[in-house]
């Protein structure tokens, strides 16, 4: 009996233990289930809050501002191009140009006004003080124009560096460009009774009057004057959509954004450097250095300062054009092929023929094509004016380069400080290399063509010779005038 009680007590104890374990596990399961449900609720709540935040953020308009407060050139063109690209990628609601300029390069202004006209995000302009010449063209391209009291817009006549008006063919191109820019904004439809009237939003004739003093606009301007508007006049003649004192006033009062986020384009040092290197005058100077470096390197053996200068100038010439998308790989290759053909003509092929002429053509073609905004061999989007400006830049550089070469050659070869330095070096080398010193003043014969380097025969011995008087044909009588770097320098002997 006692044993049976013990057995029952044991079974009851074991049952109670299992029940407690089950109860504990069940409680943990309920806690875990509750946590899962709460975490799901929290996750859903997080998603809802994130979506709501994004919705609120999206409802805050983004206004992107680009400052154009200097001369219109390739630097400001880069500012605008990069700014428009960034504004479009950020999904800006509007772009505002803050302008104050007296004008600048027409080709840069043309590129800028085209970019504004076809930009998917509307572009507005606030003229802080001046929008003259190229600035007027860019402003007219914008969807709406706002001006500060006392600001001006107009005077878009094409002038040279001295401020004198260029010939009529340049004015004609500018007239057409500014007229088409005004026309691009279209017409307003006005219903008056039974009549429908179509009126230009910006009168193209007024735009032309900003360029040509011969254009007459009734009740506005007669011949003999180029049109420039004040803010009030521009407002009256629909070349201004509102007068404001600050960009904030333009955005809130005229564009209708009570609350907005403003982001301003910040130019980098690289933008300024690239724009500086793309200045036409500097490009002509770089061409001078390229041509001069190649020429003077041919006068001396080995690679020295002239070749280094030419290489650096070529890199500075092509690098910004390549990065800007103007110079393509094949255009740079054309330039390199031209250099190789000229080198082959000078050092390998006797005389001056097809290789030399082809090299010059390839050289000029490579330099010129790199300045044009063409796609491969398609020049549909390139105007004759752009082609003319590119050719002028290259030809000016080549012309001045050849003039500089001739002038420096005379200074080095016959007289002046460089000649004295050369003679001083000859005297020094005469002591260190007595074997060549006696040759100075002796006469000989050009054993090969000197272009300018080659071989000369003096007293029955062959020497490495360099011409100091230009191209010398084989068999021509020559006279040794100096020696340098184990070479004799000779001139044509005039009998």
């Amino acid at each position: 009996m006692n044993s049976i009680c013990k057995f029952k007590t044991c079974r009851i104890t074991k049952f109670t233990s299992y029940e407690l374990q089950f109860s504990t596990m069940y409680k943990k399961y309920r806690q875990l289930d509750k946590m899962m449900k709460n975490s799901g609720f929290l996750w859903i709540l997080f998603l809802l809050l994130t979506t709501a935040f994004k919705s609120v953020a999206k409802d805050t308009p983004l206004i992107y501002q680009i400052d154009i407060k200097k001369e219109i050139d390739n630097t400001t063109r880069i500012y605008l191009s990069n700014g428009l690209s960034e504004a479009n990628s950020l999904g800006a609601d509007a772009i505002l140009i803050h302008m104050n300029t007296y004008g600048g390069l027409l080709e840069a202004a043309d590129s800028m006004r085209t970019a504004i006209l076809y930009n998917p995000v509307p572009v507005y302009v606030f003229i802080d003080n001046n929008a003259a010449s190229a600035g007027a063209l860019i402003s007219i391209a914008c969807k709406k124009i706002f001006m500060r009291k006392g600001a001006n817009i107009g005077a878009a006549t094409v002038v040279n560096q001295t401020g004198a008006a260029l010939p009529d063919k340049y004015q004609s191109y500018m007239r057409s460009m500014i007229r088409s820019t005004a026309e691009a904004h279209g017409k307003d439809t006005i219903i008056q009774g039974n009549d429908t009237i179509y009126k230009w939003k910006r009168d193209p004739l007024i735009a032309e009057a900003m360029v040509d003093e011969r254009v007459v606009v009734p009740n506005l301007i007669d011949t003999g004057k180029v049109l420039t508007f004040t803010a009030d006049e521009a407002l009256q003649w629909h070349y201004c959509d509102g007068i404001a004192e600050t960009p904030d006033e333009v955005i809130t009062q005229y564009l209708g954004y009570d609350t907005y986020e403003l982001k301003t384009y910040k130019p980098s040092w690289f933008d300024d450097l690239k724009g500086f290197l793309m200045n036409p005058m500097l490009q002509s100077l770089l061409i001078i250095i390229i041509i001069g470096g190649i020429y003077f390197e041919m006068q001396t053996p080995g690679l020295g300062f002239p070749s280094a200068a030419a290489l650096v100038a070529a890199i500075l010439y092509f690098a910004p054009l390549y990065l800007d998308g103007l110079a393509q790989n094949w255009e740079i290759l054309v330039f390199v092929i031209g250099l190789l053909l000229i080198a082959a003509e000078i050092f390998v092929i006797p005389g001056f023929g097809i290789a030399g002429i082809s090299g010059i053509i390839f050289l000029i073609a490579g330099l010129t094509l790199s300045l044009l905004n063409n796609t491969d061999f398609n020049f549909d989007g390139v105007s004759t004016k752009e082609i003319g400006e590119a050719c002028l830049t290259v030809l000016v550089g080549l012309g001045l380069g050849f003039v500089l070469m001739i002038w420096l050659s005379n200074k080095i070869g016959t007289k002046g400080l460089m000649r004295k330095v050369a003679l001083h070096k000859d005297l020094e080398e005469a002591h260190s290399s007595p074997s060549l010193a006696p040759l100075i003043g002796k006469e000989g014969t050009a054993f090969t063509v000197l272009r300018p380097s080659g071989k000369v025969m003096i007293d029955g011995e062959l020497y490495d010779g360099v011409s100091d008087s230009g191209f010398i044909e084989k068999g021509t009588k020559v006279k040794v005038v100096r020696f340098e770097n184990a070479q004799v320098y000779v001139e044509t002997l005039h009998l």
Side-chain angles (χ1 to χ4, degrees):
M1 186 70 181
N2 193 22
S3 62
I4 294 173
C5 289
K6 288 181 180 178
F7 175 75
K8 288 182 176 179
T9 304
C10 180
R11 290 187 62 185
I12 292 171
T13 303
K14 287 184 178 179
F15 177 77
T16 304
S17 175
Y18 291 147
E19 184 179 19
L20 289 173
Q21 291 180 18
F22 176 77
S23 176
T24 303
M25 291 177 63
Y26 181 74
K27 288 180 180 178
K28 289 182 177 179
Y29 168 77
R30 291 295 302 270
Q31 290 176 355
L32 181 63
D33 182 61
K34 187 176 181 180
M35 289 176 63
M36 291 293 291
K37 289 180 178 179
N38 288 339
S39 64
F41 173 75
L42 292 174
W43 177 249
I44 293 172
L45 180 62
F46 174 75
L47 291 177
L48 290 174
L49 289 174
T50 303
T51 304
F53 176 77
K54 288 183 177 178
S55 178
V56 172
K58 188 175 181 181
D59 288 340
T60 302
L62 173 62
I63 309 300
Y64 196 95
Q65 181 174 310
I66 304 172
D67 294 334
I68 305 294
K69 298 180 180 179
K70 56 187 295 185
E71 180 183 356
I72 303 299
D73 55 12
N74 283 305
T75 303
T76 49
R77 180 186 60 80
I78 291 170
Y79 290 174
L80 181 71
S81 177
N82 292 347
L84 292 178
S85 178
E86 185 175 342
N88 295 336
S89 64
L90 292 174
D93 294 87
I95 299 171
L96 180 65
I97 296 176
H98 192 174
M99 177 176 288
N100 184 13
T101 181
Y102 287 105
L105 298 178
L106 178 58
E107 56 270 26
D110 184 20
S111 177
M112 294 169 72
R113 69 109 192 181
T114 303
I116 290 170
L117 284 173
Y118 297 104
N119 193 66
V121 179
V123 181
Y124 307 91
V125 62
F126 171 59
I127 301 172
D128 199 345
N129 197 19
N130 292 293
S133 192
L137 176 65
I138 296 169
S139 298
I140 294 172
C142 295
K143 184 174 182 179
K144 289 188 177 181
I145 302 172
F146 304 98
M147 301 175 68
R148 188 174 63 82
K149 200 76 171 178
N152 299 279
I153 181 174
T157 303
V158 185
V159 298
N160 57 22
Q161 296 294 332
T162 63
L166 289 175
D168 186 63
K169 65 178 181 179
Y170 296 98
Q171 311 304 336
S172 174
Y173 184 82
M174 182 61 173
R175 285 196 305 269
S176 174
M177 187 189 305
I178 202 168
R179 183 176 65 246
S180 64
T181 304
E183 290 175 352
H185 296 284
K187 297 180 179 181
D188 288 323
T189 303
I190 302 173
I191 307 297
Q192 292 183 347
N194 295 326
D195 297 329
T196 302
I197 301 174
Y198 300 98
K199 183 179 180 181
W200 290 108
K201 292 182 178 179
R202 290 185 189 148
D203 190 343
L205 189 63
I206 291 178
E208 281 193 69
M210 294 182 180
V211 177
D212 195 340
E213 62 182 11
R214 296 170 298 181
V215 176
V216 178
V217 180
N219 302 320
L220 176 61
I221 193 169
D222 204 346
T223 59
K225 295 180 181 179
V226 175
L227 179 61
T228 300
F229 275 139
T230 65
D232 290 330
E233 290 171 340
L235 187 64
Q236 177 185 351
W237 291 90
H238 307 292
Y239 268 74
C240 175
D241 296 277
I243 296 177
E245 291 301 313
T246 63
D248 177 72
E249 188 177 338
V250 170
I251 296 169
T252 56
Q253 182 174 334
Y254 292 105
L255 300 187
Y257 298 105
D258 295 328
T259 58
Y260 61 92
E261 177 189 355
L262 181 66
K263 182 175 178 58
T264 303
Y265 176 71
K266 302 296 183 183
S268 66
W269 66 269
F270 182 70
D271 293 338
D272 293 327
L273 176 62
K274 188 165 68 168
F276 172 73
L277 292 176
M278 293 177 70
N279 184 285
M281 295 301 295
L282 182 61
Q283 287 173 330
S284 294
L285 178 60
L286 292 174
I287 293 173
I288 293 173
I289 297 174
I290 293 171
I291 301 301
I294 294 171
Y295 174 80
F296 285 109
E297 188 59 38
M298 292 174 181
Q299 305 296 311
T300 56
L303 294 176
F305 175 75
S307 59
L311 178 61
V312 171
I315 293 173
L316 294 177
Y317 180 87
F318 284 106
L321 297 175
Y322 183 80
L323 294 173
D324 205 49
L326 293 176
Q328 301 180 50
N329 293 328
W330 68 271
E331 294 170 340
I332 299 175
L333 182 61
V334 167
F335 172 80
V336 174
I337 292 174
L339 292 180
L340 295 176
L341 287 172
I342 293 174
E345 184 70 37
I346 292 173
F347 297 109
V348 180
I349 306 172
F352 190 82
I354 296 177
I357 296 173
S358 300
I360 293 174
I361 293 173
F362 273 72
L363 191 74
I364 296 175
L367 293 170
T368 305
L369 291 172
S370 298
L371 297 174
L372 301 176
N373 191 22
N374 60 294
T375 303
D376 295 329
F377 292 97
N378 183 4
F379 295 89
D380 291 341
V382 182
S383 66
T384 54
K385 180 178 178 296
E386 291 174 326
I387 296 174
E389 288 173 347
C391 292
L392 181 63
T393 299
V394 174
L395 292 177
V396 167
L398 291 174
L400 293 177
F402 281 115
V403 171
L404 183 64
M405 285 188 299
I406 295 172
W407 183 78
L408 288 178
S409 296
N410 290 334
K411 289 293 183 182
I412 294 174
T414 59
K415 58 184 180 179
L417 178 63
M418 296 301 294
R419 174 62 174 168
K420 292 178 182 178
V421 172
L423 289 174
H424 183 67
K425 288 187 66 178
D426 287 343
L427 292 175
E428 289 180 347
E429 291 190 8
H431 296 288
S432 61
S433 304
S435 59
L436 292 180
L439 296 179
I440 297 178
K442 285 197 172 186
E443 300 176 3
T445 305
F447 189 77
T448 64
V449 177
L450 300 180
R451 302 184 298 265
S453 302
K455 296 288 185 179
V456 294
M457 177 74 73
I458 302 172
D459 293 339
E461 295 287 338
L462 284 177
Y463 296 93
D464 290 328
V466 180
S467 170
D468 251 0
S469 56
F471 183 88
I472 298 178
E473 289 282 1
K474 178 181 178 180
T476 304
K477 295 292 183 180
V478 296
K479 180 180 179 180
V480 179
V481 293
R482 59 189 177 92
F483 70 95
E484 184 179 329
N485 298 327
Q487 290 180 312
V488 293
Y489 283 73
V490 298
E491 292 181 346
T492 301
L493 183 62
H494 300 286
L495 300 176

